[in-house]
Amino acid sequence: MSQINGAILVLSGPSGAGKSSLIAKIIDDIGETYFSISTTTRPMREGERDGVDYYFVDKEEFEREVEEEQFLEHALVHSNYYGTSIKPVKKALSEGKLVIFDIDVQGNNAIKNRLSDITTSVFISPPTLSELKRRLIKRSTDSQEVIDRRVNMAKREIQRVSEYEYLLINDDLDVAAQKLRLIAQTARLKKASEEINEFVQRWEDC
Ligand code: 5GP
């Protein structure tokens, strides 16, 4: 990827960890951002909007986009496909924005392999598994079967927390938001290795 002035903030964690609430709390304090809208084959939930929460496509369309190499990364999560399109991310990075991804551990791994120099990764978790269960039940947007699947997924994902730079435990929303605000503001300061090389070159030439 050329002309990178921005940076990436990867947020992962189980549904029910409070990622959206945390983002909503800090979004006005962290400068210009682009929140990456993923493409998915998962059915739309009540209250979700196409092009806002996700781009909702069928399996054939998703596979076509994979074939055309339109994704920066893609993964199978809870037996549905999810992918991050390259184009808008490239544009936002060239505009110097902080690009925020809400992606799973597989996605984090892929981004780390491709863009580690400008990426900061945070795993957001409720304090305990029982608290996660309580939040998922309270949210009541999913069936018991879906909740069970998410809980099992969370148990697997928590084993990979060490792949992240930060573990943010969302117990008290305000405290967690303050920590995430600091992480996001610092994430923006990461520089692409190309930019660093150019700086060194210029610095030596002067
Ligand atoms: P949900 O269906 O609850 O919106 O998301 C399920 C999981 O898929 C979450 O862990 C979310 O972070 C992850 N996810 C959403 N979009 C993407 C994506 O583009 N790539 C990857 N790898 N994971 C994603």
Side-chain angles (χ1 to χ4, degrees):
M1 245 185 234
S2 57
Q3 269 198 318
I4 294 177
N5 307 309
I8 293 174
L9 179 64
V10 171
L11 303 179
S12 299
S15 326
K19 285 174 284 184
S20 316
S21 316
L22 284 168
I23 287 290
K25 271 198 164 284
I26 69 165
I27 199 74
D28 293 336
D29 311 323
I30 57 175
E32 274 221 273
T33 54
Y34 167 71
F35 198 89
S36 169
I37 303 168
S38 298
T39 301
T40 185
T41 60
R42 138 162 110 57
M44 203 187 286
R45 285 195 208 122
E46 215 183 301
E48 285 185 330
R49 283 180 295 159
D50 188 31
V52 176
D53 300 283
Y54 283 103
Y55 295 108
F56 294 93
V57 298
D58 59 22
K59 199 164 164 252
E60 286 67 39
E61 168 68 15
F62 193 94
E63 282 168 351
R64 190 182 60 75
E65 292 188 27
V66 171
E67 192 101 327
E68 289 172 357
E69 299 185 355
Q70 290 191 30
F71 293 123
L72 183 59
E73 63 77 38
H74 60 91
L76 189 65
V77 187
H78 307 308
S79 54
N80 291 303
Y81 289 107
Y82 293 82
T84 307
S85 296
I86 296 177
K87 241 190 189 166
V89 171
K90 237 175 157 174
K91 182 170 178 287
L93 286 175
S94 70
E95 291 166 353
K97 292 184 180 159
L98 180 69
V99 178
I100 304 177
F101 292 127
D102 174 350
I103 53 176
D104 80 330
V105 288
Q106 306 169 73
N108 176 52
N109 202 33
I111 300 290
K112 205 161 73 170
N113 286 337
R114 293 186 71 168
L115 293 159
S116 65
D117 51 348
I118 54 160
T119 300
T120 300
S121 59
V122 186
F123 191 94
I124 302 177
S125 174
T128 61
L129 184 60
S130 35
E131 173 62 14
L132 173 68
K133 285 182 192 163
R134 201 188 61 77
R135 288 185 195 176
L136 287 175
I137 293 165
K138 194 173 150 213
R139 198 166 70 168
S140 65
T141 48
D142 298 317
S143 65
Q144 187 58 47
E145 190 198 334
V146 172
I147 291 177
D148 290 345
R149 213 188 309 144
R150 290 189 188 287
V151 165
N152 286 330
M153 181 77 180
K155 280 188 197 167
R156 281 201 301 277
E157 286 205 331
I158 203 86
Q159 304 302 323
R160 294 179 62 178
V161 168
S162 61
E163 294 173 26
Y164 290 78
E165 283 165 276
Y166 298 98
L167 165 62
L168 185 63
I169 298 162
N170 184 12
D171 194 355
D172 178 310
L173 188 65
D174 286 327
V175 174
Q178 176 54 13
K179 289 179 182 166
L180 189 59
R181 192 175 284 116
L182 285 175
I183 294 170
Q185 286 164 346
T186 312
R188 191 181 275 288
L189 303 178
K190 282 205 175 172
K191 296 231 171 287
S193 35
E194 271 171 44
E195 205 186 328
I196 292 172
N197 292 341
E198 276 170 24
F199 168 79
V200 173
Q201 200 66 45
R202 263 197 329 259
W203 187 81
E204 283 183 3
D205 284 351
C206 287

